[in-house]
Amino acid sequence: MLNARFKSVLGVLCCMLGFPLWAALPVFTIEIRNHLFFPSELYIPADTKVKLKIINHDATPEEFESFELNREKVVFGNSKTQIFIGPLAAGRYPFFGEFNPNSAQGVVIVGAANAD
Amino acid sequence: MLINSIVLFLRDALPVLILFSLVLVLYRGYAYRFRIALGAVVCGLVASLGLVLSMGFWSALADGMGLELLYAGLYAIAFLLIGALLIHKRGSQPGQIKLVFALCTLLVCLGSSSIFVYFLGFWQHIENPQVILLGSFMGGAISLSVAVLWYYLLTMLDHYWAYASRCFLALFAAGLTGRCLAYLIQADWLPYSATAWNSSTWVSDSSELGHFLHAIFGYEATPHWSQITMFLFALALLLGMVWVRRTREQQDDGV
């Protein structure tokens, strides 16, 4: 009984502490059309963890890949996915589409003044 | 598309073939080792196809991070299987052969899943799908050539020091921990740690040497500190196990 009550209190506390942080996470979106990333330059704030939504409008799959960001994620045709990036130091972090590396290219620019 | 297919094979198939080289050298006294390897390839490809077909299901789990968690778990299992192989005396007991088979099947499944996604996704949507086949054949041939050379180099090294292949297997396994951690960080299950260094000016991730080193020990030009720490810890642990095994075998030989 005590154990169940302790778990309930702990769960509520976790929600109270964790939910505002999760909810406050900035969300940025990248779209894939005709094997190109839009926008090809994404501005995000420095030292902030962000959620990156990737929407693939093509019928073919694409693999979002960045050696600099250490990220690798398959996005199936006509579907969307998400990844977390950061907190990152100011700088440029190139990314590309593993299946179309010549056309699908972009860069995450961290710490820029016009970050959304 | 031709170059893409070659690079994809180099990146995903080469680590698997390097593992096969290591295992074949390690069990070179076992008569059925090639049959076991072939069986693992077939089972791994079937499992990979199943994985690719169920990727939609896995992706939807854990707030869209199910696939990362699955991959992290499978890489962790592969690491444990190699650990179990290294702790045992080299031999061809049924238990060890099952471990080898499970390990090779798992790595084939993981390595070929991205290739299957590429094949299945593009086959019906490009004008000249034969290019994908040609690129895959060329990428496969290059990877196989490197793996064969690696096999003969390891055989030679093993001839001089019987534990050389075990040490390289430990190095390979330590590299798997980096991939496991990368997936957990990507899924936000582990905190992001700063990039330790950037060696891309010397050895780029996308260069031929970068692909080779990635296959040997999971090289990354911009690793996280957590990956470095885990790599060194895992390597020390596995090399310690090799050393313990060597000491015991020397004691057994002395008796």
Side-chain angles (χ1 to χ4, degrees):
Chain A
M1 182 66 184
L2 185 65
N3 192 27
R5 187 174 293 172
F6 175 73
K7 281 179 182 174
S8 304
V9 172
L10 192 65
V12 170
L13 277 175
C14 284
C15 289
M16 287 171 67
L17 292 171
F19 181 74
L21 291 174
W22 175 79
L25 215 60
V27 180
F28 293 85
T29 304
I30 290 180
E31 298 185 25
I32 304 169
R33 283 197 185 92
N34 298 319
H35 313 308
L36 295 169
F37 285 116
F38 296 98
S40 58
E41 289 188 345
L42 181 71
Y43 296 90
I44 67 169
D47 303 320
T48 309
K49 183 195 286 185
V50 305
K51 185 190 279 188
L52 184 61
K53 289 177 98 171
I54 308 167
I55 304 171
N56 185 3
H57 296 285
D58 290 340
T60 52
E62 187 53 275
E63 188 168 334
F64 176 92
E65 174 133 11
S66 172
F67 295 127
E68 285 74 9
L69 292 168
N70 271 328
R71 292 293 179 271
E72 179 184 358
K73 180 93 179 182
V74 171
V75 196
F76 289 95
N78 296 313
S79 67
K80 58 186 175 184
T81 190
Q82 63 185 31
I83 56 170
F84 296 93
I85 56 173
L88 295 167
R92 293 172 66 87
Y93 298 83
F95 59 86
F96 61 97
E98 174 79 20
F99 298 154
N100 298 280
N102 295 327
S103 58
Q105 293 183 3
V107 61
V108 173
I109 300 172
V110 180
N114 58 342
D116 291 332
Chain B
M1 204 50 89
L2 181 77
I3 301 295
N4 296 354
S5 306
I6 294 172
V7 170
L8 195 69
F9 255 82
L10 273 179
R11 197 202 63 170
D12 291 332
L14 186 58
V16 180
L17 291 169
I18 289 290
L19 173 77
F20 272 73
S21 301
L22 283 163
V23 167
L24 289 173
V25 172
L26 201 59
Y27 289 89
R28 62 182 180 277
Y30 182 57
Y32 298 110
R33 61 195 171 131
F34 286 105
R35 197 174 294 181
I36 294 291
L38 190 65
V41 169
V42 173
C43 289
L45 289 177
V46 172
S48 182
L49 195 59
L51 175 63
V52 170
L53 294 175
S54 64
M55 268 185 179
F57 165 77
W58 291 106
S59 298
L61 297 177
D63 198 21
M65 294 296 152
L67 208 53
E68 276 85 351
L69 298 177
L70 176 69
Y71 275 116
L74 292 177
Y75 275 117
I77 290 171
F79 173 79
L80 292 175
L81 288 174
I82 293 178
L85 276 181
L86 291 176
I87 200 72
H88 283 103
K89 188 176 181 179
R90 188 192 301 208
S92 54
Q93 295 92 340
Q96 273 195 50
I97 298 304
K98 283 177 189 168
L99 276 180
V100 170
F101 183 79
L103 174 65
C104 291
T105 302
L106 187 54
L107 263 291
V108 169
C109 175
L110 286 167
S112 58
S113 62
S114 187
I115 297 171
F116 269 126
V117 170
Y118 178 71
F119 261 82
L120 296 174
F122 281 87
W123 188 261
Q124 293 177 331
H125 294 97
I126 62 168
E127 292 175 3
N128 194 6
Q130 290 85 352
V131 175
I132 293 183
L133 274 185
L134 181 64
S136 304
F137 177 76
M138 290 171 72
I142 294 168
S143 302
L144 193 61
S145 306
V146 173
V148 169
L149 287 173
W150 186 241
Y151 171 84
Y152 283 108
L153 180 68
L154 278 177
T155 306
M156 193 176 71
L157 288 174
D158 239 27
H159 179 72
Y160 290 109
W161 190 53
Y163 293 87
S165 57
R166 285 179 165 244
C167 290
F168 276 107
L169 190 59
L171 196 63
F172 182 89
L176 295 182
T177 62
R179 291 180 216 183
C180 177
L181 276 191
Y183 280 117
L184 289 175
I185 293 170
Q186 181 167 308
D188 205 28
W189 274 48
L190 284 180
Y192 177 86
S193 64
T195 301
W197 62 70
N198 186 348
S199 56
S200 57
T201 47
W202 292 296
V203 182
S204 164
D205 284 297
S206 53
S207 66
E208 291 82 0
L209 183 59
H211 284 301
F212 178 69
L213 295 179
H214 179 74
I216 298 293
F217 64 92
Y219 169 81
E220 285 185 20
T222 52
H224 291 291
W225 277 116
S226 55
Q227 286 176 295
I228 302 290
T229 309
M230 191 66 194
F231 176 86
L232 292 175
F233 175 74
L235 186 62
L237 180 72
L238 294 175
L239 288 179
M241 287 161 66
V242 172
W243 184 77
V244 167
R245 171 50 50 200
R246 177 174 172 264
T247 308
R248 281 185 187 172
E249 286 178 4
Q250 282 179 339
Q251 285 172 351
D252 291 345
D253 292 342
V255 172

